[in-house]
Amino acid sequence: MARKKIALIGAGQIGGTLALLAGQKDLGDIVLFDIPQAEGTAKGKALDIAQLSPVAGFDANYAGSSNYKDIAGADVVIVTAGVPRKPGMTRDDLVGINAKVINAVGKGIKENAPDAFVIVITNPLDAMVGLMQEVTGFPANRVVGMAGVLDSARFRLFLAEEFKVSVQDVTAFVLGGHGDTMVPLIRYSTVAGIPLPDLVKMGWTTQEKLDKIVQRTRDGGAEIVGLLGNGSAFYAPAASAISMAEAYLKDKKRVIPCAALLNGEYGVKGLYIGVPVVIGKGGVEKVVEVSFNADEKAMFDKSVAAVKSLVEATKKIVAAG
Ligand code: A3D
């Protein structure tokens, strides 16, 4: 069986980590793409990881490039092109630069990898993945945004620490837009199937502690931006996107929260936002619609409104050229 091809647009912090993890997970051959000014970074990281492969024990071809022709035939394209946050910035502050970047990158993908499954990571996530789908014109099942897997992983870690149990036994849901209005869903999060509200009743934790964990999850990205001082998180975001690529390439039918285009689900139409989806060989094969109580619905609606206003801002930037 021929090896699959994975193109990584953006060879920065996340791009480099994606390249390493994709090799270690035997997902296929890898092309790291960046702008001409950063071609050396793309080529250097590709060569460095290729030289790691004999030690780690995997076979994959690595290339770095600033020529879109080199992504031809890619099965999966993961996009991190753009700029990350600096301390004090919100994700939304990035829209001015990143909307133009995604507009250019989308055209490159459309022309050179028309059959690819595209995973967008660039922030502000929900608006950027929507723009990517518009620019490529690809069917919505083949364009998806990574955020929910990461936000849920943060939530899971903090819960596992609170309960002193394995992260593997904590499942958690974070839906809505990838921003300050994201919606960690306590009712649907569990330890080995026991919902969090039951664990409060069982005396494992208190509602106050859970509220603090929810807030820390919402601020999870900013906490790391503050610590790093010169960029944003990259290990966990890369691992999260790789799990999505793997679900697609191996037809795993994973049920994970991703930014997907809604077509009436959750009462929303024509907008990308974080919801649970099934990812398999058909890309986003299904949007899973869970029921919300009044509080959850209010939080989700607030998040939808925030994403809508960012989409409007994105449209203006793209229209202005
Ligand atoms: P960084 O290390 O700066 O890498 C970005 C790369 O994109 C750089 O190498 C740039 O040269 C390259 N680039 C810029 N313009 C273009 C272009 N037109 N074509 C191709 N490449 C280009 O950033 P990073 O890897 O830390 O983060 C990348 C993006 O991911 C940022 O927008 C972050 O905000 C975002 N991010 C999202 C999440 C989510 O959970 C959604 C988490 C963390 C970071």
Side-chain angles (χ1 to χ4, degrees):
M1 199 173 73
R3 267 192 229 141
K4 299 290 184 187
K5 179 168 174 177
I6 297 136
L8 307 173
I9 312 295
Q13 295 281 59
I14 303 179
T17 313
L18 286 167
L20 174 62
L21 294 176
Q24 287 178 324
K25 285 197 162 270
D26 270 326
L27 293 189
D29 293 333
I30 287 124
V31 179
L32 269 160
F33 175 96
D34 213 302
I35 48 177
Q37 301 91 300
E39 192 183 22
T41 304
K43 284 185 184 297
K45 288 189 181 183
L47 185 58
D48 190 12
I49 299 172
Q51 291 171 356
L52 166 155
S53 65
V55 183
F58 62 81
D59 291 291
N61 294 327
Y62 277 86
S65 174
S66 63
N67 185 343
Y68 269 110
K69 291 209 174 359
D70 290 328
I71 73 163
D75 298 285
V76 173
V77 178
I78 308 181
V79 180
T80 60
V83 288
R85 282 195 277 174
K86 295 199 173 66
M89 288 174 96
T90 70
R91 295 176 181 89
D92 301 0
D93 294 333
L94 305 174
V95 69
I97 297 175
N98 287 355
K100 289 180 190 152
V101 168
I102 294 298
N103 197 29
V105 169
K107 287 176 188 155
I109 296 173
K110 181 181 181 172
E111 277 168 31
N112 296 281
D115 299 320
F117 179 59
V118 182
I119 302 171
V120 177
I121 305 183
T122 303
N123 272 319
L125 191 270
D126 306 271
M128 293 304 103
V129 65
L131 177 60
M132 176 63 75
Q133 197 264 331
E134 218 176 286
V135 177
T136 56
F138 290 179
N141 62 307
R142 281 206 284 121
V143 183
V144 67
M146 187 297 292
V149 178
L150 171 66
D151 296 327
S152 302
R154 288 176 173 154
F155 196 24
R156 288 171 66 193
L157 172 70
F158 302 149
L159 290 169
E161 287 176 347
E162 164 66 6
F163 296 132
K164 299 188 178 50
V165 298
S166 166
V167 289
Q168 286 183 51
D169 294 322
V170 181
T171 60
F173 251 48
V174 178
L175 306 184
H178 180 62
D180 300 335
T181 60
M182 70 178 78
V183 187
L185 281 182
I186 286 188
R187 240 164 25 99
Y188 287 106
S189 302
T190 77
V191 173
I194 310 166
L196 295 188
D198 289 12
L199 290 166
V200 173
K201 284 187 207 140
M202 288 157 63
W204 278 41
T205 187
T206 60
Q207 189 59 46
E208 292 70 46
K209 283 187 178 164
L210 281 186
D211 291 343
K212 278 196 183 135
I213 289 174
V214 163
Q215 197 51 46
R216 189 172 177 203
T217 302
R218 285 207 177 102
D219 297 338
E223 186 177 355
I224 292 181
V225 169
L227 289 168
L228 292 177
N230 63 348
S232 54
F234 52 100
Y235 294 118
S240 302
I242 288 292
S243 75
M244 293 164 65
E246 192 179 19
Y248 171 73
L249 290 168
K250 298 186 181 169
D251 191 25
K252 285 176 79 108
K253 317 278 188 209
R254 292 284 315 270
V255 183
I256 44 182
C258 299
L261 184 65
L262 296 189
N263 186 23
E265 300 90 348
Y266 294 96
V268 177
K269 218 174 172 148
L271 193 75
Y272 269 86
I273 194 147
V275 289
V277 300
V278 177
I279 295 197
K281 68 174 185 303
V284 177
E285 296 183 350
K286 187 177 181 172
V287 170
V288 181
E289 213 172 345
V290 297
S291 65
F292 289 148
N293 64 26
D295 285 352
E296 292 158 356
K297 171 100 174 61
M299 283 193 284
F300 189 80
D301 288 349
K302 192 175 160 201
S303 201
V304 167
V307 172
K308 274 188 181 158
S309 73
L310 261 178
V311 169
E312 287 312 313
T314 303
K315 284 195 173 131
K316 281 189 193 136
I317 288 158
V318 173

